[in-house]
Amino acid sequence: MALLSQRETSNLVLSVRQASGVMQPHEALVPLSASDYPQAYSSAVPADVATFGYIADLMVCFAFKEDERDEMALARGHDLLRLQLTPEQALAHAIVNFKRSYSSPVATQLPDTLVWQVHSNAPFALNSNVVFDAVFWSRQRAQHGDLLVALPKRGIVLFIPANQAEAVSQLTQFAQSHYPQLPHQRMSDYLLHCTGAGWNVECRLFPPPLPPSAPAAAQAPFGLALVSDPEPSNTASHATASANHEEIPEPADEWDLDLAGSGQKMVIHSILGNFVLNAMLKSPIPPLVIALFGIGLMAYSLLGILRIGSGLGMSKEAKIWRMVHTGIPLVNIVSLIQLSMRTTKELREAGYEVGLLGVK
């Protein structure tokens, strides 16, 4: 994370993530630590990070955002003390800042169902922040009464009126269809009950992950389980990597996926730039101009590869291998196309809308 020059209330933001081995039955801001982050990246999180359990296995992570650049830095406990903010006050300020940057969320009913889905113009992975928007949920309760809410995947927020028992199976089916295989894309394993008194846990939607030594055949099927089910000691069951170290990306947060998206745009521009460079080689343009263009294009390509590699959690060796390809004519274009296609696959699986020129 970048060190920001401004760490003030005006640029305080937040994101919601799945906590590791945490389950709060009722809504409350309970201090957590770096150890409560998923194990895959908890080592990179500062020990005094300003993170709080909220409800079930959801935690709120505070950060500071710089408007001029897409850079964020995790907020620390001493930041909230310096700003004289309680966790509740910090949450209120962060929600106001979030809604100032993006439009208010809206709910649309899925065709031929009793299930509603929440949308906003925020980056898709940040759509789950709506769970903190008390005004939005108050309006939905005024229309539907108490609600049952599922957040199976980052960016996916589904709900039904709690008094419509026939809708529970539909909600469960939709939640199961969105439940991701990659642990870092999951949001909550629980069905939440939204009432005028706040959030409560209704039941467990998805079974806890198997311990690494357990056989795959023992995996329980999708379905509802009691809240009293034993909690997992590790929220991520890691797949065994294949010989190709690029096939399974390391877990990343939503900002990493945005970084991968920006890197993909640079890679796509680099692909087009390579065709321009090939055309320049057959033209009367002075060799010095062509050489300068080629050097700049290579540097731009390398930066795009680094952004994608960091965003998708590629190993150091994989990033170096991709960078070496940029210096080999024709091979560089093929390598960049393959990298862009892989990035498209990962972003679409996370819910991003990707076009010919990258993330829209």
Side-chain angles (χ1 to χ4, degrees):
M1 296 291 176
L3 293 176
L4 301 183
S5 57
Q6 183 184 15
R7 288 173 171 257
E8 303 296 338
T9 303
S10 59
N11 67 329
L12 182 66
V13 294
L14 80 168
S15 67
V16 58
R17 305 185 190 182
Q18 186 177 49
S20 176
V22 173
M23 208 298 288
Q24 293 179 207
H26 306 290
E27 176 185 346
L29 287 172
V30 179
L32 300 179
S33 65
S35 63
D36 295 304
Y37 276 69
Q39 291 184 357
Y41 52 90
S42 60
S43 60
V45 177
D48 59 343
V49 63
T51 298
F52 300 84
Y54 186 65
I55 179 66
D57 52 352
L58 296 179
M59 62 181 181
V60 54
C61 310
F62 291 108
F64 293 98
K65 182 179 184 296
E66 214 165 74
D67 290 335
E68 293 78 11
R69 294 174 292 177
D70 247 352
E71 295 185 0
M72 297 191 187
L74 289 173
R76 311 289 186 87
H78 60 77
D79 289 317
L80 300 189
L81 291 175
R82 176 178 55 82
L83 296 173
Q84 298 183 346
L85 295 176
T86 65
E88 291 77 13
Q89 291 170 331
L91 180 61
H93 281 289
I95 283 294
V96 169
N97 294 339
F98 182 79
K99 295 176 72 172
R100 186 170 59 234
S101 300
Y102 308 107
S103 65
S104 298
V106 296
T108 57
Q109 189 170 10
L110 299 178
D112 302 321
T113 73
L114 299 171
V115 180
W116 294 72
Q117 183 170 1
V118 181
H119 304 275
S120 73
N121 70 341
F124 187 83
L126 296 181
N127 196 45
S128 302
N129 285 1
V130 71
V131 73
F132 304 117
D133 191 342
V135 174
F136 170 80
W137 293 112
S138 177
R139 291 173 179 168
Q140 299 308 313
R141 289 198 313 274
Q143 180 180 353
H144 304 287
D146 290 352
L147 307 169
L148 294 178
V149 183
L151 299 91
K153 180 179 180 179
R154 290 187 309 166
I156 300 294
V157 182
L158 306 167
F159 72 85
I160 59 172
N163 60 1
Q164 296 181 349
E166 65 275 19
V168 174
S169 61
Q170 293 181 2
L171 178 62
T172 304
Q173 181 179 0
F174 274 100
Q176 291 173 0
S177 67
H178 285 293
Y179 192 69
Q181 294 298 317
L182 297 177
H184 72 278
Q185 294 178 358
R186 299 169 188 166
M187 184 55 67
S188 178
D189 292 339
Y190 294 86
L191 183 65
L192 306 180
H193 191 188
C194 180
T195 71
W199 293 94
N200 296 288
V201 173
E202 180 71 12
C203 61
R204 185 167 199 137
L205 273 177
F206 307 108
L210 290 171
S213 59
Q219 178 68 52
F222 281 120
L224 299 179
L226 296 176
V227 173
S228 58
D229 284 353
E231 291 299 314
S233 59
N234 181 356
T235 60
S237 55
H238 300 286
T240 303
S242 63
N244 183 349
H245 45 247
E246 290 189 58
E247 286 302 315
I248 300 178
E250 292 296 326
D253 59 26
E254 54 265 43
W255 300 320
D256 290 332
L257 290 175
D258 288 343
L259 181 66
S262 66
Q264 185 194 36
K265 288 187 176 182
M266 298 178 70
V267 164
I268 293 173
H269 295 158
S270 299
I271 294 171
L272 299 176
N274 272 281
F275 288 109
V276 173
L277 179 61
N278 290 333
M280 292 173 65
L281 291 172
K282 301 176 183 177
S283 70
I285 296 176
L288 179 59
V289 174
I290 297 176
L292 291 175
F293 181 85
I295 293 173
L297 181 62
M298 178 175 289
Y300 190 75
S301 301
L302 293 175
L303 181 57
I305 292 171
L306 284 174
R307 283 174 173 261
I308 291 177
S310 299
L312 298 185
M314 291 182 183
S315 66
K316 181 179 179 180
E317 294 78 12
K319 285 186 279 190
I320 292 175
W321 187 246
R322 289 287 185 181
M323 293 168 71
V324 169
H325 287 170
T326 60
I328 306 175
L330 297 181
V331 173
N332 58 351
I333 297 178
V334 174
S335 179
L336 291 175
I337 291 175
Q338 290 178 339
L339 184 59
S340 178
M341 291 173 63
R342 179 200 163 178
T343 307
T344 295
K345 178 179 178 295
E346 297 292 344
L347 291 173
R348 283 178 175 168
E349 187 174 351
Y352 287 76
E353 185 178 356
V354 185
L356 292 176
L357 296 179
V359 177
K360 295 182 179 180

